[in-house]
Amino acid sequence: MATPNPSGDREKVVSKLPGWLRRDLKVRAAQLGVDIQDAVSQGIAMWQTTSDVAPVDTAGGVAWSTWLPPGQWAELKETCTSRGMPLVQGLAQAISLWLNTHSAPAPTSYTRRIVVCNQKGGVGKTSLAAGLAGAYAEDPELEVLVAAEAVALQSADGAGLSSEATDLLTTDEAHAGLGLRVLLVDYDPQGHLTKQLGLDLIGIDDPSLAKHMAGTVRTGSIRDMIVTVEDSRFGGRLDILPACNDAFLLDVMIAMDRNRQATLERVLEPLEADYDVIIVDAPPSLGVGMDAGIYYARRRENETPGNSGVLIPVQPEDSSDDAFDLLRRQIESGQVDWRIEVDDLGLVVNLYDSRDGYVVTSSLEAWQQLKEPRVIGVVRRLKEQREAVRARQNLISYAPTSEQAKVIRRIAREIV
């Protein structure tokens, strides 16, 4: 399917691509500083003049879209017809050809660091962080249900995607659990994450994350504070660093540190060798504590683009839009001041319910129209998450077959 761009210089095309090929394209384009739509256009142009491209396994294709110069999509269709192959195969071959002719620099392996942030309260930041951690830690011996990409990106009434796109793949997929070692860091002084998972806050006089960041802990290790979530679904792979109420004073505690933006990294970096993923539930503020969270999410030397970064939950309402703008300014200011790159892992539109009316549905459409960061999931407002909080359990364990759990697993796989 092709839809003209109002400006006339590009047309939006929708097809299917295997998830692995889409991820390779996204990463390679970022590594080389090339826009994805330009990479695809270049690949199609090369493929048109090449006749010996190896077939590509397109099984498990998911809905995917990009923007191409007018007429290029039609030309691709014609060539596919003349070569006797499906359009999906031709597109996959073109992208593979571009990947094979554009080598990537050798990356350095780093633990994935995901900072879930938004200074606006009530956007579902904590539930998203906990859900992602559970999705990453699930037992690889389990078969789990993952929402199809099209389902993960639309509301219950299909808003935000065309009928052609949603028809491509709208059924759940069965996958093995990811089985990763995960550290979940409760960096929010309110401690909601710690409480949601059935743990106690650290005592106000005891060693804490904030005290370690401030350098006032003279004995013991940050490892002494880590607690394993006891749940057979996670098999000992999910740990949490609980919160302490002293984090309300964090900005004051680290304000005079010469490299205050690096204080969170100084504490967490020694733990990275023990984990595949570290997820930080950031504080709802724009203070120096958030600066430290942004700095921790930065792309390190030779790190694969998109391996780490910020994940931003938002709500489908106008005030969330204002809060997002403020957060983006803080991130952009930090990138300039510290000469770093912080990757956007995506937006998650949380607590969506189309029954709330036009403001909500139109806000969702506005979020989905953003190119960067793009929406990678829409989580509806359903009772299972509230019940999981009441039961003091991770949603992935409390309701593993719920719609929310399936969408969160899709989000996890979008950024893994």
Side-chain angles (χ1 to χ4, degrees):
M1 182 194 76
T3 304
N5 186 337
S7 65
D9 61 341
R10 293 267 176 173
E11 60 181 6
K12 185 177 183 180
V13 300
V14 178
S15 184
K16 288 196 295 186
L17 270 187
W20 63 268
L21 185 57
R22 185 190 61 209
R23 287 192 294 271
D24 288 353
L25 172 63
K26 177 182 177 182
V27 169
R28 187 71 51 81
Q31 289 172 326
L32 299 178
V34 177
D35 194 290
I36 289 177
Q37 61 189 17
D38 293 332
V40 176
S41 180
Q42 293 167 15
I44 293 174
M46 288 189 291
W47 182 82
Q48 294 280 19
T49 60
T50 306
S51 58
D52 58 349
V53 182
V56 176
D57 183 2
T58 59
V62 295
W64 176 85
S65 65
T66 191
W67 296 86
L68 294 177
Q72 190 174 45
W73 190 244
E75 293 173 359
L76 176 64
K77 288 182 177 179
E78 291 178 4
T79 306
C80 287
T81 299
S82 67
R83 296 184 184 181
M85 68 175 63
L87 176 61
V88 171
Q89 179 63 214
L91 176 63
Q93 288 186 16
I95 293 174
S96 294
L97 182 60
W98 185 86
L99 290 169
N100 292 336
T101 54
H102 292 76
S103 300
T108 301
S109 177
Y110 287 105
T111 294
R112 174 168 282 107
R113 305 172 311 285
I114 302 171
V115 176
V116 183
C117 54
N118 192 327
Q119 90 282 2
K120 183 181 185 298
V123 296
K125 177 173 56 66
T126 296
S127 61
L128 176 61
L132 282 176
Y136 283 128
E138 280 185 298
D139 193 330
E141 297 298 320
L142 291 175
E143 183 178 85
V144 300
L145 293 177
V146 179
E149 183 186 38
V151 173
L153 296 180
Q154 69 176 339
S155 64
D157 53 9
L161 288 178
S162 67
S163 59
E164 290 87 346
T166 57
D167 286 344
L168 289 171
L169 184 60
T170 57
T171 57
D172 298 333
E173 305 166 8
H175 292 268
L178 292 172
L180 301 178
R181 300 167 301 160
V182 184
L183 175 63
L184 190 52
V185 180
D186 193 347
Y187 191 41
D188 185 343
Q190 299 174 89
H192 291 318
L193 179 60
T194 301
K195 298 170 190 173
Q196 281 189 21
L197 296 183
L199 303 174
D200 295 327
L201 295 180
I202 292 174
I204 193 68
D205 296 321
D206 295 328
S208 66
L209 175 60
K211 293 186 183 74
H212 276 277
M213 290 174 64
T216 60
V217 179
R218 303 304 177 193
T219 61
S221 165
I222 190 70
R223 285 185 172 85
D224 299 335
M225 297 164 46
I226 294 174
V227 179
T228 298
V229 175
E230 299 296 338
D231 192 307
S232 60
R233 194 170 194 90
F234 309 131
R237 288 176 296 274
L238 177 55
D239 290 346
I240 181 171
L241 186 58
C244 176
N245 285 334
D246 67 358
F248 279 113
L249 301 173
L250 177 64
D251 285 4
V252 175
M253 295 166 72
I254 67 174
M256 300 306 295
D257 193 293
R258 184 175 181 181
N259 293 307
R260 60 193 185 192
Q261 76 276 5
T263 50
L264 181 62
E265 180 165 289
R266 287 204 302 259
V267 175
L268 296 183
E269 189 173 27
L271 304 176
E272 291 175 8
D274 300 333
Y275 299 97
D276 301 301
V277 185
I278 294 180
I279 299 175
V280 178
D281 182 19
S285 76
L286 295 174
V288 294
M290 189 61 233
D291 281 345
I294 293 169
Y295 189 82
Y296 185 61
R298 80 192 189 285
R299 189 192 308 165
R300 296 177 182 172
E301 185 177 2
N302 291 330
E303 184 173 13
T304 302
N307 182 70
S308 300
V310 294
L311 180 65
I312 305 175
V314 295
Q315 282 181 278
E317 59 179 37
D318 295 343
S319 62
S320 202
D321 185 28
D322 295 337
F324 171 76
D325 288 340
L326 290 171
L327 178 60
R328 289 305 312 162
R329 289 178 202 167
Q330 182 176 10
I331 294 172
E332 290 164 5
S333 175
Q335 290 185 111
V336 172
D337 292 344
W338 307 316
R339 299 181 182 180
I340 62 174
E341 292 289 336
V342 179
D343 289 326
D344 286 307
L345 301 180
L347 291 177
V348 175
V349 181
N350 225 335
L351 304 171
Y352 177 79
D353 191 335
S354 61
R355 295 172 298 180
D356 289 339
Y358 172 74
V359 170
V360 169
T361 57
S362 61
S363 181
L364 172 61
E365 292 175 2
W367 287 122
Q368 290 182 323
Q369 287 170 6
L370 281 180
K371 289 188 177 180
E372 284 296 331
R374 70 185 183 94
V375 173
I376 60 173
V378 177
V379 183
R380 290 205 294 149
R381 189 176 66 206
L382 300 171
K383 64 183 179 65
E384 285 82 2
Q385 177 59 48
R386 297 192 297 274
E387 291 174 350
V389 172
R390 174 67 62 86
R392 305 191 80 181
Q393 277 187 259
N394 191 298
L395 170 70
I396 299 295
S397 178
Y398 176 80
T401 61
S402 66
E403 176 188 317
Q404 289 174 323
K406 291 183 284 190
V407 170
I408 286 175
R409 290 191 189 103
R410 167 58 63 186
I411 294 169
R413 284 160 175 77
E414 285 289 315
I415 57 178
V416 72

